Amino acid sequence: MRTARTARRAGLLLTTLATAAAGLLAAPAAHAEGRHTTTAWAGRAEASYRALQHNLYLGAASHDLYREAAPAAAGSNPYSYLWEFREATQATLYVRTIPHNTGPYRKDVADRFAALQQYAASDPAHPGYDSYLPAPLGTGGDLFFDDNAVVGLSFLTQYRAGGDRSMLAKARAAFTTDTRAWDDDPAKTCPGGMHWVENDANAIRAANVTGLFAQLSAGLYQITKEPAYLDWAQKAYDWNKTCLQQSPGLYQNDRDDNGTVNTTLWTYNSGAMIGTATELYRATGKRAYLDEAVRDADGALTYWTADDRLYNQPAIFNSFLFQDLLLLDSQHHDPRYRQVLSDYADRLWSENRDPATGLFRFQASNGGAPDPAQPVATLNQSAAVQLFSLLAWDPRDYDRTS
């Protein structure tokens, strides 16, 4: 189980690289601007959510959990990993935030957070959330620090929606879990940064977990004003900037303990740093952070909108980018942020959605043109719900993304 989870993630990333390279050779022309009202986007978000629930949600009789994909591969787990479950949770939170949806989706939100606790690690010496369900529902799995960071961000989303102090306490706990990932061994090149997974075999400090942890820390400081959160947010943010930034808005994936750097670029690493800088600006009022966020947004949009790169990224990674661009938009309005999202979401609806089922298909990489041979996945369907929901929100709510 532990090895399979790590291998599955590594395989996804390698497949995405191959798919993106193919897309650069034969990228279709970009679609014209999608012109839809927020009501139309709400309809798309809710229809996609219903398809998620009908085809991938297992219901109360199966512990309110999700499948990883349908049809399930032979020998696969009966339930999804934590990563997929978290994204379905965030999709539920985002469709709930569409105007007038608070009441209708209240129970669904409560069900997600109750079921999430089934992923809690059983080892009291290493609290947090495991990548797969521990006994009795599963055999457990490694604790991934990026998973725990985004779970913490979901707790912050829910806290910001209604001030539930239990959600704030859980976000604090997720932060504490992730502090175990920091590695400031002075013998290593670029001391600092955060390990991806709690496993002795791990030898990389990664942009994703470091940036997402920085964003969680900055959000906690904004709410609590406790200096330790600001210290950690700045330390993690600065490490990514110093040790993994390729250019404004683009962050190399990771640094190995042996000194080598994985130069792969992903949209969610761009997004996490835009989001962190925005949160630091909101928390401190320092204009330099807002300027950094805008520079990163400009660099990211210039790169990712060229040569069909955005379309070939995993859809869930793009959701991270866009939620962070809209968070920035709440502090520095730029119509490009929503426009690029609208164009991308319109293309997913027209090219990747099966009208008969409402389900979205992609390459094995979770991005790019639909491949009918690939199963539909909770991860991808959740991404579609998140993206459409963001377009249906009142822009005054963009400061509530996480």
Side-chain angles (χ1 to χ4, degrees):
M1 175 65 65
R2 296 156 71 91
T3 303
R5 175 57 168 158
T6 305
R8 192 179 75 86
R9 284 196 171 193
L12 181 153
L13 301 183
L14 290 171
T15 304
T16 303
L17 287 174
T19 303
L24 294 179
L25 297 176
H31 278 206
E33 175 185 348
R35 300 184 183 277
H36 303 288
T37 65
T38 54
T39 301
W41 284 118
R44 290 182 172 188
E46 291 167 8
S48 301
Y49 180 78
R50 288 193 298 271
L52 171 70
Q53 296 303 97
H54 179 72
N55 293 278
L56 293 155
Y57 177 59
L58 292 166
S62 293
H63 313 285
D64 288 313
L65 295 168
Y66 285 84
R67 296 182 175 91
E68 182 179 353
S76 63
N77 293 317
Y79 308 112
S80 80
Y81 289 97
L82 173 63
W83 184 21
E84 289 86 355
F85 187 87
R86 185 274 174 177
E87 298 312 328
T89 299
Q90 200 72 358
T92 308
L93 290 169
Y94 280 6
V95 78
R96 186 274 312 275
T97 307
I98 295 171
H100 312 299
N101 275 4
T102 299
Y105 289 90
R106 181 176 289 113
K107 182 180 184 302
D108 288 31
V109 168
D111 288 346
R112 294 301 93 77
F113 282 110
L116 174 62
Q117 298 311 307
Q118 297 169 108
Y119 289 89
S122 56
D123 181 359
H126 296 88
Y129 294 90
D130 286 344
S131 57
Y132 193 68
L133 298 149
L137 296 180
T139 56
D142 283 332
L143 186 149
F144 283 80
F145 291 113
D146 58 330
D147 284 351
N148 280 263
V150 294
V151 166
L153 289 170
S154 287
F155 290 137
L156 278 191
T157 302
Q158 180 66 349
Y159 172 77
R160 286 169 168 163
D164 183 341
R165 303 295 293 184
S166 71
M167 293 290 112
L168 181 58
K170 290 180 184 297
R172 287 176 178 269
F175 162 88
T176 300
T177 291
D178 268 14
T179 58
R180 303 200 302 263
W182 188 259
D183 183 355
D184 55 4
D185 182 350
K188 295 176 181 176
T189 306
C190 242
M194 306 188 76
H195 288 284
W196 183 39
V197 57
E198 194 163 48
N199 184 315
D200 291 342
N202 178 79
I204 63 168
R205 291 161 288 151
N208 65 346
V209 59
T210 306
L212 292 164
F213 170 76
Q215 188 170 0
L216 173 62
S217 304
L220 285 167
Y221 176 70
Q222 185 187 151
I223 293 165
T224 69
K225 300 304 181 187
E226 294 179 18
Y229 291 129
L230 179 59
D231 291 345
W232 272 107
Q234 292 172 325
K235 183 163 63 171
Y237 177 78
D238 290 346
W239 188 85
N240 263 2
K241 281 281 184 185
T242 301
C243 298
L244 289 176
Q245 186 181 53
Q246 175 173 297
S247 61
L250 301 177
Y251 292 84
Q252 297 165 340
N253 189 68
D254 61 77
R255 181 175 287 275
D256 195 286
D257 288 347
N258 66 15
T260 61
V261 176
N262 176 354
T263 60
T264 306
L265 303 173
W266 302 107
T267 47
Y268 72 152
N269 289 333
S270 299
M273 292 296 282
I274 294 166
T276 298
T278 305
E279 292 283 39
L280 284 168
Y281 169 69
R282 295 170 71 194
T284 67
K286 293 182 179 180
R287 178 76 190 193
Y289 285 123
L290 182 61
D291 292 342
E292 283 292 320
V294 172
R295 274 194 291 272
D296 270 2
D298 289 345
L301 285 175
T302 297
Y303 180 82
W304 291 115
T305 56
D307 299 323
D308 229 25
R309 293 183 181 119
L310 183 70
Y311 184 60
N312 285 303
Q313 283 281 292
I316 196 62
F317 288 5
N318 290 341
S319 182
F320 278 87
L321 173 63
F322 286 116
Q323 66 193 15
D324 290 316
L325 285 170
L326 295 181
L327 175 64
L328 173 58
D329 191 70
S330 73
Q331 308 300 310
H332 169 84
H333 178 60
D334 187 328
R336 291 179 304 157
Y337 304 157
R338 182 183 167 90
Q339 185 58 64
V340 175
L341 167 56
S342 178
D343 292 344
Y344 172 68
D346 218 18
R347 185 172 182 183
L348 295 187
W349 182 266
S350 62
E351 295 187 19
N352 292 79
R353 176 179 175 269
D354 179 351
T357 64
L359 296 168
F360 291 79
R361 292 183 187 274
F362 296 88
Q363 297 292 305
S365 63
N366 294 328
D371 179 353
Q374 294 300 318
V376 295
T378 292
L379 198 65
N380 297 331
Q381 195 72 20
S382 297
V385 175
Q386 292 175 26
L387 293 160
F388 300 145
S389 295
L390 289 168
L391 287 162
W393 282 20
D394 183 328
R396 291 173 294 186
D397 289 329
Y398 285 156
D399 63 355
R400 289 166 53 184
T401 67
S402 295

